[in-house]
Amino acid sequence: MNQDYIKPDAWSIIEEEFDTGRVKSSESLFSIGNGAMGQRANFEEQYSGPSFQGSYIGGVFYPDKTKVGWWKNGYPEYFAKVLNAPNWIGINVFVNDEPLDLFTCEKVQSFRRELNMKEGYLARSFEATLPNGVEIEVKSVRFLSIVDDELGAIKFEVTPISSDATVRFDPYLDGSITNTDANWEERFWETLEVKAEEKRAYIVSKTLKTEFHVGTYMQSEILKSGKKEDLSPEVKTDEDRVSFSYSLDAKKGEAVAIVKYAGYVTDMNHKKSDLIQAASMVLEKAEKKGFDQLKTEQKDAWAAIWEMADITISGDVKAQQGIRFNIFQLNQTYLGKDERLNIGPKGFTGEKYGGSTYWDTEAYCIPFYMATKDQKVARKLLSYRYNHLEKAKENAGKLGFSNGAALYPMVTMNGEESHNEWEITFEEIHRNGAMVFAIYNYVRFTGDFSYIPEKGLEVMIAIARFWHQRANFSKAKNKYVILGVTGPNEYENNVNNNWYTNYTAKWCIEYCIQMIDKVKDAYEEDYLRIMGLTNLNESELSSWREVADGMYFPYSEEHGVFLQQDGFLDKEIIPVSDLDKKQRPINQKWSWDRILRSCYIKQADVLQGFYFFADHFSKDDLKKHFDFYEPLTVHESSLSPCVHSIQAALLGRMEQAYEFYLRTSRLDLDDYNKEVEEGCHITSMAGTWMSIVEGFGGMRVEDDQLSFKPQIPDQWKGYSFKVNFRDRILKVTVSSEKTEFTLEGNDPLEILVNGKPVEVKPNTPVTA
Amino acid sequence: MNQDYIKPDAWSIIEEEFDTGRVKSSESLFSIGNGAMGQRANFEEQYSGPSFQGSYIGGVFYPDKTKVGWWKNGYPEYFAKVLNAPNWIGINVFVNDEPLDLFTCEKVQSFRRELNMKEGYLARSFEATLPNGVEIEVKSVRFLSIVDDELGAIKFEVTPISSDATVRFDPYLDGSITNTDANWEERFWETLEVKAEEKRAYIVSKTLKTEFHVGTYMQSEILKSGKKEDLSPEVKTDEDRVSFSYSLDAKKGEAVAIVKYAGYVTDMNHKKSDLIQAASMVLEKAEKKGFDQLKTEQKDAWAAIWEMADITISGDVKAQQGIRFNIFQLNQTYLGKDERLNIGPKGFTGEKYGGSTYWDTEAYCIPFYMATKDQKVARKLLSYRYNHLEKAKENAGKLGFSNGAALYPMVTMNGEESHNEWEITFEEIHRNGAMVFAIYNYVRFTGDFSYIPEKGLEVMIAIARFWHQRANFSKAKNKYVILGVTGPNEYENNVNNNWYTNYTAKWCIEYCIQMIDKVKDAYEEDYLRIMGLTNLNESELSSWREVADGMYFPYSEEHGVFLQQDGFLDKEIIPVSDLDKKQRPINQKWSWDRILRSCYIKQADVLQGFYFFADHFSKDDLKKHFDFYEPLTVHESSLSPCVHSIQAALLGRMEQAYEFYLRTSRLDLDDYNKEVEEGCHITSMAGTWMSIVEGFGGMRVEDDQLSFKPQIPDQWKGYSFKVNFRDRILKVTVSSEKTEFTLEGNDPLEILVNGKPVEVKPNTPVTA
């Protein structure tokens, strides 16, 4: 554990000291978002110390030019970059003309920052002595409305405590912002219009190249001792910036405050020409509701989210805080309202991993959204990929595949590939398998087969075609092989016959063929449409079958395990526990070639296959593979510990499962990887949820039934979670003595508990 | 063949038309150099059309910052970049105040450019009609002295042919130059001083970061009708530039000319503080000699080079021109005077392949320099690596190797790694083998064993240590394996057990152990010194032996060949001849993954081993391997056809050998790869020489004796070459009827011809 300045609290993230060395970490941890936009917890007022400014709009990106040592044919010429958007949080504060800047204050005390997850706001308070000797007390509250998701609101209050003082608030909008990761001191935004009205101001900007048009806007009002002051600001506009300025005299002990409503409207949702009008309507509405009502609505909206998504843990406040932080961040990142958006690995908390969508969504996030929201949300995530199918076909085309084969991008914003390392971009093709697995998983959990004839089958056919072409027949092995891939374990590159990839490929083809048959039987119209679209015929299907049936899987007779890839046993096999701690994390200590030829596994690879296809293997199989691969796994990916936690739980190894759980749930809060400054690991947070629900709770879907095998770590008194199973809300409450199932609604539900059928009647807790 | 505008000529490269689309190609092809500096054939006068400016100084580089997608531990933070240096060729010309600019002239006729390889100069002549209607005739000659290698000289003559005219010559020095490949519009030079004296001018600049100090200088004189005019120029200096201006009236038909002496002096050879003085001494000397004498000296010096290095071919002028172009360029790039310099893949003809030294030097260039120059030159090339040994150890240290193991850089200028792609930088480790092979090859050819105790053995020990640590024991194979490498065939990355690498590794260890024994026996003092330095002991040696003895080599029983790497036979094996021509070159048509999983070979890999270690294998072995691998080779490296040419000749397949020969010898002149604009392929030019001498001539060293098996392509009437074998100059003249051997000097030499001993007496041709 690398930091522990975050105070344990069941519902809030709290820090109680101002430390300039932690500002960037806290900016990540205290980030707020509403699914449509989000921002790092930068201060409103001027701050001259080290800081990482970031305010992001879902779906708005810039195509950065690919720069590589030696160009490889097939690289995308541009790739999507997460863009820092115009600043609307800014409120410069002056006290007797001295700027408030926490980096230059003589003294800062009683500093407290709270991310209130229950109600969805960020609060800050402190007392500061300015360089001119004036002492003030400051309180601010900020949130991004999840009700009106184009709107943010800030209340910033200053009380002079040493003497009377003149307080000036200069709220502003600034369009002249850059990215931290910009190669050159390049700007990605062009300001088109800066406009100030009586009490409102707007900046209309467009992104270069992609030409997203964004309106950034604000309105502000002044309160004195809690009462609205009718004060007209001085207005200043320049090329990229507009600011208001309010100067007012405050008595010692008298609070003066500014309320700022602000946010973004974009041409993803409005006409380009209507952005100012759209913004003014948002402001109109905000003004009418007022800050307090907006905040109440925010609280209520979050209460509704928590009602369904909360996991309680008793007896372990840090574990409780950890899981709530994860659930909170996932909901801040994606709420399932907009089919064009997705869940970026850093959400709205940083710039890294440009582009928003990885296989993380399909492999890790869908179960969380499926179980804690309406099933339409998961369906939207699937549709996101359906909507990108043509681009995935183009992408495969660039790599030489034909006949409508699709390769989904490793990283994307709009369906185009956004990554430029050959071993990832071209070779980490197992991602295609996750697309199909997510469809399978969705249908298994929701029972909503209709997605397959409507959209899923087209995706599956294009992917089956990819696998069929990507495999080649090895005369030497008399089998089909898949050469030159990178598996989920990115500490191997360009290997042959990665078991996980081969297994997934075979499964994708077989599942696709099954689904074709099923659609043929039950959805004739869709069947005919799809056959017409794809020109699929029996001879093609039979050549698919040949590949699937003949797929090669590297296997060790000696160890009785499938090998991660060809040649794995040529490595020196030394368990991680025998590795000098000074050599860890190996990705910071070892050169890449050393990592590649070592036996160390970054994240679940063969075991990822055993997680996805758990029902294909016996517990004894799992045990053998877990015992072989787990000791070689260094978990240097945020996506790794959760899968191992689930499997350890399944094997009844609760101590180990709990250890992995801690690693995943407090990864950012405790900054295990010393990098939280760059942003939080959003997608792996869904893995934390899985660790509890699928790991400790043992939840599965078996033959259309929910099944549980609840266990509890010794460290906990109890835990509970809810799942929405086919519109039936089931609450599961586990303690060391018993498990209680409570069902909402009117109809009973038969579930399996430790393999035995249990009927749960509505509103009548059942204990097992 | 992609271009054929170069006129066939035995001794010159000639173009006879001015085509703005070919200016950049010609700038490469007509490049001049003198081993210490070199430049592209940019025009002296202003040229506003597309052009690639380049003037380079041996050993002067800039450390460019590494920019990669995801940082890999072990990457060098900076890498050496070839630097475009201050411009000293510039002479702006005005006729009646109209600038001469071939891009804007109304008419250009009788344009002719000649690179006279026999005498070592570049000449240009044309008639142009300027926009103001004045017609002029221009003749210019330029060369870089190989006698005074800090000096260049230009004579630029203008004759008004339509009317009398005022001609202005503005010779200048310009320090404000940039690189074409600069990422930013960054400058790499800082001008420290601009100084003009009565008739001389200087700019002292330093490179940023590396702080090379360079003095660029000039002196000019004016000739009218061939006679020196005593004319004082107007002098203009600014921050980065100094120019002289001479204005003179010329009658119609009267030639006025400027002679400019100029060049570079650097702090590699002079004190920083003495650069201007050093430059002024060079100019003093130049002035004394005068242009004509300098040109005569140049001619004589080149005659001496040709006397030894020339290869004649009769009956095929294009082949003759090709081989002379190759020999000429090699000598322009490296003359063996300076141990700190080496042979860059683009020589002084372009910026590409930043850094100067690749394994090309050891694998391809040493035989040429060894046979056509004093053996000290080859020894200097070996010493270059000896001098970088400590840096090679540091480099290996960065990758986790210890105990004084060395990994020579893939690309370097000063011993530090200059390349940043993990699959090359960290994995193309076979280069280490070439370092040892070059030592072995040098000793074999020259008989100069002394290099080994003096320098070579230390290099060999450090390399043996690298291989010993780099291999690991595979329990599965019960053999030592080398995992995760890139072989000479760069169309495979991160493979296991590349046969060439494993074979070379084993050989390096065994040869090192042999040499240790030999040094122990014969050079006790050196032996003790080296053992003291390296702390090598018997137990370490025995663990080396274990690795060498236990080395694994992938082999196919079915095909009776060693496999390029593990799993090679899992590929689809389709000969290049069956590949659609539209798919070629595959590096421009296929994505990298497709190339990697294909069976196609960029350049000799297994066959490179069969070339280096030809005496380890039978002709039948070679035949089997050649027949297996040659049909899979796409020759998309300039270094590929020569090895295949040599082996085809050895197998008696002269048609094929000749075909490969053409590809290598006129690669740049005919621009096979459509990229000559970027510069010439200098290092592969040595391969062309090998194709004739080792291929057609069949020259080898066998048991300390020179051996020949001469053959001749049907297309030729005859060819001849000379070799310096242990200070004995032997000329070999081959025709379809006979081969004649002529020896210079006083002592007879016994050679083998087609396996039979032949005694060659001095100055008495022997026919075989």
Side-chain angles (χ1 to χ4, degrees), chain A residues 70 72-74 183-184 352-353 398-401 419 421-423 426-427 470 472-477 481 483 493-494 497 566 569-572 587-594 596-597, chain B residues 67 70 72-74 183-184 352-353 398-401 419 421-423 426-427 470 472-474 476-477 481 483 493-494 497 566 569-572 587-594 596-597:
Chain A
W70 295 102
K72 309 273 198 267
N73 206 34
N183 279 338
W184 309 274
K352 220 179 162 184
Y353 307 112
K398 278 186 206 160
L399 304 193
F401 296 89
H419 196 92
E421 286 185 311
W422 63 267
E423 66 275 19
F426 301 155
E427 297 206 340
R470 188 57 167 74
N472 71 271
F473 187 72
S474 162
K475 272 172 77 177
K477 292 199 161 71
V481 294
L483 306 180
N493 292 155
N494 193 44
N497 294 309
D566 280 353
L569 290 179
D570 282 338
K571 295 168 179 284
E572 276 184 295
N587 70 14
Q588 284 172 30
K589 307 287 177 159
W590 285 6
S591 68
W592 193 242
D593 57 314
R594 192 174 198 85
L596 290 178
R597 67 178 180 275
Chain B
K67 291 265 171 199
W70 295 100
K72 308 274 197 265
N73 207 32
N183 279 340
W184 307 272
K352 219 179 161 183
Y353 307 111
K398 277 185 206 163
L399 305 193
F401 296 89
H419 196 90
E421 286 185 310
W422 63 267
E423 66 274 20
F426 301 156
E427 296 207 340
R470 188 57 167 74
N472 71 273
F473 188 71
S474 160
K477 293 199 161 70
V481 293
L483 305 181
N493 292 156
N494 193 44
N497 295 308
D566 281 352
L569 289 181
D570 282 338
K571 293 167 182 283
E572 274 184 295
N587 70 15
Q588 286 172 30
K589 307 286 177 162
W590 286 5
S591 69
W592 194 243
D593 58 314
R594 190 173 200 84
L596 291 177
R597 68 180 180 272

Side-chain angles (χ1 to χ4, degrees), chain A residues 400-471:
Chain A
F401 296 89
S402 56
N403 191 31
L407 174 62
Y408 278 90
M410 190 66 204
V411 183
T412 195
M413 187 67 95
N414 63 349
E416 284 165 27
E417 179 59 83
S418 280
H419 196 92
N420 292 305
E421 286 185 311
W422 63 267
E423 66 275 19
I424 307 293
T425 311
F426 301 155
E427 297 206 340
E428 201 172 335
I429 52 176
H430 67 80
R431 61 194 186 245
N432 244 2
M435 305 302 132
V436 181
F437 181 79
I439 297 171
Y440 162 79
N441 203 11
Y442 169 80
V443 172
R444 173 173 65 174
F445 190 82
T446 63
D448 172 22
F449 188 79
S450 73
Y451 183 74
I452 292 189
E454 282 174 33
K455 298 181 172 177
L457 191 56
E458 286 176 57
V459 170
M460 291 193 286
I461 289 171
I463 287 175
R465 283 176 160 161
F466 173 83
W467 290 123
H468 170 245
Q469 292 172 44
R470 188 57 167 74

Side-chain angles (χ1 to χ4, degrees), chain A residues 478-496:
Chain A
N478 197 27
K479 284 276 182 189
Y480 282 90
V481 294
I482 300 183
L483 306 180
V485 305
T486 293
N489 168 20
E490 288 170 322
Y491 285 178
E492 301 278 355
N493 292 155
N494 193 44
V495 300
N496 294 336

Side-chain angles (χ1 to χ4, degrees), chain A residues 5 44 73 205 235 265 307 374 434 502 548 558 574 577 684 708 722 749:
Chain A
Y5 73 95
E44 289 85 2
N73 206 34
S205 329
V235 179
V265 288
E307 172 60 23
D374 189 282
N502 288 21
E558 185 193 344
I574 301 168
S577 55
S684 73
F708 296 91
K722 273 189 186 171
L749 178 71

Side-chain angles (χ1 to χ4, degrees), chain B residues 334 336-342 361-362 365-367 369-371 373-387 438-439 441-443 445-456 523 526 529:
Chain B
Y334 184 76
K337 291 183 188 167
D338 189 335
E339 209 171 82
R340 298 165 299 180
L341 303 185
N342 211 286
T361 296
E362 283 71 22
C365 299
I366 284 206
Y369 285 102
M370 212 151 57
K373 299 210 179 296
D374 189 284
Q375 72 185 42
K376 281 188 205 120
V377 170
R379 198 175 157 118
K380 262 188 192 129
L381 286 172
L382 299 185
S383 295
Y384 177 92
R385 296 294 191 174
Y386 176 75
N387 295 336
I439 297 170
N441 203 11
Y442 170 80
V443 172
F445 190 84
T446 65
D448 173 22
F449 187 81
S450 73
Y451 182 75
I452 290 187
E454 282 174 33
K455 298 180 172 177
Y523 297 80
D526 285 307
R529 175 181 58 80

Side-chain angles (χ1 to χ4, degrees), chain A residues 260-276:
Chain A
K260 184 177 183 183
Y261 306 116
Y264 301 118
V265 288
T266 82
D267 64 348
M268 291 170 71
N269 302 309
H270 305 277
K271 276 199 204 154
K272 279 184 182 45
S273 53
D274 292 352
L275 291 175
I276 286 182

Side-chain angles (χ1 to χ4, degrees), chain A residues 523-538:
Chain A
Y523 296 80
E524 204 193 340
E525 200 176 311
D526 286 306
Y527 176 77
L528 293 173
R529 178 180 55 81
I530 295 166
M531 291 304 110
L533 263 175
T534 57
N535 283 316
L536 194 64
N537 57 34
E538 192 43 50

